[in-house]
Amino acid sequence: AIILGMSLPAMAAEPSAGARLSVVPQVVTLQSQSDSQAVVAVVTFPDGSTRDVTMAAEYTVADPKIARLQTGIIEPVADGESD
């Protein structure tokens, strides 16, 4: 699994109090150097509505020696695991 950190920079429309930020899928497994996985960042508001914030989110990878994430796509850099 590859662990991601995620935050939203200041945006014109800040999520309201009680909104949840999540990334889908929550677990990513890449089997080969040519694999990649798209991720989607979503804000869920207290009323149940959602907003795709994939392009506005800022991501970090727990171990950048193992994987990189650019524009919502995770790609392997080397063999290994990041927990």
Side-chain angles (χ1 to χ4, degrees), residues 1-9 21-26 28 39-41 53-54 56-64 67-70 72 74 82-83:
I2 298 169
I3 305 301
L4 299 175
M6 183 176 55
S7 64
L8 286 175
L21 179 61
S22 59
V23 65
V24 178
Q26 292 182 349
V28 174
V39 294
V40 176
V53 293
T54 303
E58 293 179 355
Y59 303 87
T60 55
V61 177
D63 188 348
R68 69 175 164 254
L69 190 135
Q70 297 177 358
I74 300 172
S82 176
D83 293 320

Side-chain angles (χ1 to χ4, degrees), residues 16-81:
S16 62
R20 285 180 303 134
L21 179 61
S22 59
V23 65
V24 178
Q26 292 182 349
V27 175
V28 174
T29 302
L30 304 173
Q31 297 294 324
S32 73
Q33 198 68 14
S34 63
D35 282 355
S36 64
Q37 174 68 54
V39 294
V40 176
V42 176
V43 172
T44 303
F45 296 96
D47 67 1
S49 64
T50 60
R51 178 176 170 199
D52 182 340
V53 293
T54 303
M55 299 310 286
E58 293 179 355
Y59 303 87
T60 55
V61 177
D63 188 348
K65 295 176 189 166
I66 301 298
R68 69 175 164 254
L69 190 135
Q70 297 177 358
T71 319
I73 305 290
I74 300 172
E75 299 174 329
V77 173
D79 289 343
E81 286 187 27

